[in-house]
Amino acid sequence: MDKNIPLVKAINKNVRTSPRKLALVCNFIKGKKADTDIRDLQFFRKRKDKEVSKTVKSAISNAENNYQFDIDNLFVKEAYVGKSLVMKRFRPRAKGRASPIKKPFSRITIILEEKKEKKVNK
């Protein structure tokens, strides 16, 4: 791997859903071109696909404004989800007891890379 190629990263912290549900969406967009990912996520049938789409758009704008990359050559190198904080709540139960409810948050990380076109010598 060439060390001179900068990777463009966008992180969306504290997304209010579990990492397991978001991992399905992130695995769907790995390795594809960034502009087709945005189009595909519009028709994806999960509730939090808009959060992943927002993160991909943020990474694209980072690549365009900070590194002057060409948008047409960008592809998603890595897309992964990690755990963030967990809100703990309690639900009243019978006989004066309480049962815990955990409301997890997630952190989405999207890493883009510019695909270099190979020159064909004839």
Side-chain angles (χ1 to χ4, degrees):
M1 187 171 125
D2 191 13
K3 294 188 179 186
N4 294 333
I5 299 173
L7 298 175
V8 180
K9 184 189 275 191
I11 300 173
N12 192 353
K13 300 176 184 178
N14 296 335
V15 178
R16 177 57 192 94
T17 189
S18 68
R20 188 174 176 178
K21 293 176 185 176
L22 275 176
L24 294 171
V25 183
C26 286
N27 289 335
F28 175 71
I29 66 169
K30 268 186 216 172
K32 294 182 182 177
K33 291 186 72 169
D35 53 350
T36 53
D37 279 339
I38 292 173
R39 185 194 63 218
D40 290 345
L41 284 172
Q42 288 178 348
F43 301 105
F44 203 67
R45 297 189 64 170
K46 292 288 182 183
R47 193 182 78 194
K48 291 294 180 175
D49 58 349
K50 287 154 191 61
E51 296 289 334
V52 177
S53 176
K54 184 171 81 169
T55 311
V56 171
K57 287 178 186 175
S58 174
I60 290 172
S61 66
N62 288 345
E64 183 182 16
N65 295 325
N66 299 343
Y67 296 102
Q68 285 74 37
F69 281 166
D70 186 20
I71 301 173
D72 299 329
N73 295 335
L74 291 176
F75 74 100
V76 178
K77 182 176 182 182
E78 294 180 40
Y80 55 89
V81 181
K83 287 184 180 179
S84 187
L85 60 103
V86 176
M87 278 196 309
K88 295 178 178 83
R89 300 289 181 257
F90 289 95
R91 182 139 194 104
R93 303 309 250 176
K95 298 183 180 178
R97 296 183 182 134
S99 61
I101 295 175
K102 295 179 181 174
K103 299 187 175 189
F105 283 72
S106 303
R107 171 183 301 222
I108 306 169
T109 305
I110 306 287
I111 298 176
L112 299 179
E113 191 175 47
E114 191 173 31
K115 186 171 279 189
K116 297 292 182 185
E117 298 174 2
K118 295 179 182 177
K119 297 178 182 177
V120 178
N121 294 331
K122 289 187 178 181

